[in-house]
């Protein structure tokens, strides 16, 4: 298919074929990188600015067959413009299938932090309460649920070893089978895509600056995003999505995670450097903190937002109730 052929066949020409701003935006959001907060903001913004927010209920299918790619690209490309499409999905190359390449945006975070957030969220959910927790892993066995993170890492459980830890890069590398293999090829291809196809890849640790730049680059979508984000009502929502029951792995375990995630870190630091260059270009100063020997884990903040997936089993509900009463 080419461009908007299906749209044209069904509806006649769109009233304004070429909009004076990017009218096709894709946020192929990385799990556990604040995307729940951004999606909440986008719901408010789409009402306010009148763009078409196209979301997906599919949370756990990031890799697609060629036919699935064609089908998804066709569906996205025929959406009413201006649209912003968001889903957990590895980078899709629209031009490969004859579609117009949209503008991509994304947000990533420190890889070990992201992994740990996911590890505990899968087991214990977040502050929003039990009703949200029965979605994806009610079947998890108790011994797996309470598996000590250090044991998981030091004894090489699949969940804590490669390639399971190779998570962020495939979102930027794409749908090629080699994008799933931790290595130079996937890393370089991911960097190339960031340079050629992404308008902005932000860093969750500096979310307010990410929102500022999105407002600057895509005002038709993100105008006023920062003031909405800073609104106390919204902050309250953000706090509900902080993962609970986290424990800090031992320095030895963290060291092992670093080694296993060395490509992820190379990518993260590359993106961070690009992001800081962009900030300087637009006159935003980075707050330089003294370097830490390793990332600061588990400082609860509204930035640590999660996807509304996964479960909570009855045995844990009592524990959660106690937390609410504190």
């Amino acid at each position: 298919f080419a461009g908007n052929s299906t749209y044209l066949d069904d509806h006649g020409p769109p009233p304004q074929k070429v909009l004076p701003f990017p009218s096709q935006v894709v946020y192929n959001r990385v799990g556990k990188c604040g995307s729940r907060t951004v999606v909440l903001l986008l719901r408010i913004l789409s009402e306010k600015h009148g763009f078409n927010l196209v979301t997906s209920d599919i949370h756990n299918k990031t890799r697609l067959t060629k036919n699935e790619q064609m089908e998804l690209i066709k569906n996205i490309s025929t959406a009413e413009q201006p649209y912003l499409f968001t889903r957990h999905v590895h980078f899709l190359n629209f031009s490969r299938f004859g579609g117009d390449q949209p503008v991509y945006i994304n947000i990533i975070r420190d890889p070990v932090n992201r992994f740990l957030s996911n590890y505990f969220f899968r087991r214990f959910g977040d502050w929003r309460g039990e009703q949200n927790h029965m979605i994806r892993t009610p079947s998890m066995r108790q011994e797996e649920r309470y598996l000590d993170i250090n044991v998981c890492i030091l004894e090489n459980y699949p969940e804590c070893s490669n390639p399971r830890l190779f998570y962020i890069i495939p979102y930027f590398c794409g749908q090629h089978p080699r994008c799933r293999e931790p290595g130079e090829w996937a890393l370089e291809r991911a960097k190339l895509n960031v340079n050629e196809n992404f308008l902005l890849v932000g860093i969750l640790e500096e979310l307010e600056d990410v929102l500022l730049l999105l407002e600057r680059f895509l005002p038709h979508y993100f105008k006023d995003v920062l003031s909405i984000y800073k609104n106390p009502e919204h902050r309250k929502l953000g706090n509900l999505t902080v993962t609970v029951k986290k424990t800090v792995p031992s320095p030895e375990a963290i060291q092992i995670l670093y080694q296993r995630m060395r490509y992820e870190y190379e990518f993260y630091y590359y993106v961070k450097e690009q992001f800081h260059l962009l900030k300087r270009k637009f006159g935003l100063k980075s707050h330089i903190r003294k370097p830490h020997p390793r990332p600061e884990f588990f400082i609860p903040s509204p930035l640590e937002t999660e996807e509304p997936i996964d479960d909570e089993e009855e045995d844990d509900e009592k524990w959660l109730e106690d937390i609410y009463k504190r």
Side-chain angles (χ1 to χ4, degrees):
F1 78 100
N4 272 331
S5 57
T6 320
Y7 184 93
L8 297 178
D9 297 344
D10 294 347
H11 303 275
Q16 188 180 13
K17 185 70 179 75
V18 180
L19 292 164
F21 56 88
S23 58
Q24 303 171 81
V25 178
V26 172
Y27 171 30
N28 64 322
R29 60 190 201 268
V30 182
K32 300 290 158 289
C33 290
S35 66
R36 185 169 156 69
T37 282
V38 180
V39 171
L40 285 170
L41 289 168
L42 283 168
R43 289 192 200 290
I44 298 166
L45 291 163
S46 66
E47 292 280 305
K48 195 173 159 68
H49 302 318
F51 62 85
N52 180 14
L53 179 63
V54 186
T55 59
S56 169
D57 293 331
I58 302 167
H59 292 292
N60 55 357
K61 190 165 175 50
T62 52
R63 304 190 290 255
L64 310 175
T65 64
K66 192 174 174 187
N67 282 343
E68 287 168 338
Q69 288 177 58
M70 284 171 73
E71 192 58 34
L72 182 58
I73 286 171
K74 185 172 143 186
N75 289 342
I76 298 170
S77 296
T78 55
E80 188 188 338
Q81 296 182 21
Y83 68 74
L84 189 147
F85 173 78
T86 180
R87 172 177 161 178
H88 293 299
V89 66
H90 295 166
F91 176 79
L92 290 160
N93 189 338
F94 282 57
S95 47
R96 183 182 167 212
F97 298 103
D100 295 331
Q101 192 64 11
V103 160
Y104 270 88
I105 57 172
N106 218 322
I107 299 172
I108 64 172
R109 80 192 275 195
D110 178 281
V112 166
N113 254 336
R114 197 217 65 82
F115 161 73
L116 293 172
S117 180
N118 188 54
Y119 183 90
F120 292 106
F121 186 71
R122 284 187 67 234
R123 287 160 171 77
F124 306 111
D126 60 28
W127 296 102
R128 280 167 299 155
E130 299 83 345
Q131 69 278 15
N132 289 287
H133 296 156
M134 298 310 293
I135 305 167
R136 241 179 50 192
T137 47
S139 57
M140 189 184 274
R141 298 193 316 278
Q142 288 300 83
E143 59 267 34
E144 190 187 344
R145 188 179 302 281
Y146 291 100
L147 174 64
D148 183 283
I149 183 97
N150 292 306
V151 172
C152 184
I153 296 163
L154 299 174
E155 295 185 14
N156 252 335
Y157 279 69
E159 189 180 354
C160 297
S161 59
N162 279 333
R164 200 67 70 81
L165 301 178
F166 192 68
Y167 184 87
I168 298 171
I169 286 174
Y171 276 87
F172 298 87
C173 178
Q175 298 288 338
H176 192 288
R178 285 187 74 184
C179 287
R180 298 163 218 171
E181 298 165 15
E184 288 294 329
W185 189 89
L187 170 67
E188 291 310 316
R189 183 161 166 151
K191 286 181 182 175
L192 190 70
N193 274 334
V194 166
N195 294 338
E196 291 183 355
N197 292 299
F198 282 80
L199 176 69
L200 179 71
V201 184
I203 298 294
L204 181 63
E205 293 83 354
E206 299 168 40
L207 183 58
E208 289 194 4
D209 287 341
V210 178
L211 298 177
L212 255 176
L213 287 176
L214 284 169
E215 197 168 333
R216 195 87 166 252
F217 295 163
L218 296 169
H220 288 84
Y221 297 88
F222 287 98
K223 190 174 184 303
D224 301 324
V225 67
L226 201 57
S227 53
I228 296 166
Y229 173 69
K230 286 179 156 178
N231 180 308
E233 281 306 296
H234 178 262
R235 287 321 270 259
K236 217 160 57 187
L237 271 177
N239 279 324
L240 291 174
T241 58
V242 176
T243 300
V244 295
K245 212 164 183 174
K246 289 181 179 176
T247 54
V248 185
S250 69
E252 182 194 1
I254 286 172
Q255 212 42 55
I256 288 170
L257 279 182
Y258 272 154
Q259 286 157 10
R260 289 179 189 166
M261 296 172 119
R262 65 184 184 281
Y263 294 110
E264 292 273 281
Y265 270 100
E266 198 172 322
F267 181 72
Y268 173 71
Y269 289 127
Y270 175 78
V271 166
K272 196 172 186 173
E273 191 180 359
Q274 300 294 311
F275 181 63
H276 286 167
L277 286 171
L278 206 54
K279 275 171 58 169
R280 279 205 293 282
K281 192 172 162 187
F282 286 90
L284 297 176
K285 290 191 170 59
S286 295
H287 300 292
I288 306 296
R289 294 194 201 139
K290 286 177 185 163
H292 287 264
R294 60 173 209 249
E296 302 162 81
F297 299 115
F298 320 123
I299 297 172
S301 81
L303 302 189
E304 285 204 330
T305 48
E306 318 301 353
E307 303 312 321
I309 51 177
D310 298 331
D311 77 307
E312 187 51 61
E313 278 184 14
E314 283 176 25
D315 293 8
D316 295 322
E317 290 184 2
K318 176 82 180 68
W319 178 85
L320 268 163
E321 283 167 20
D322 294 344
I323 287 283
Y324 289 126
K325 287 173 192 155
R326 272 181 208 170

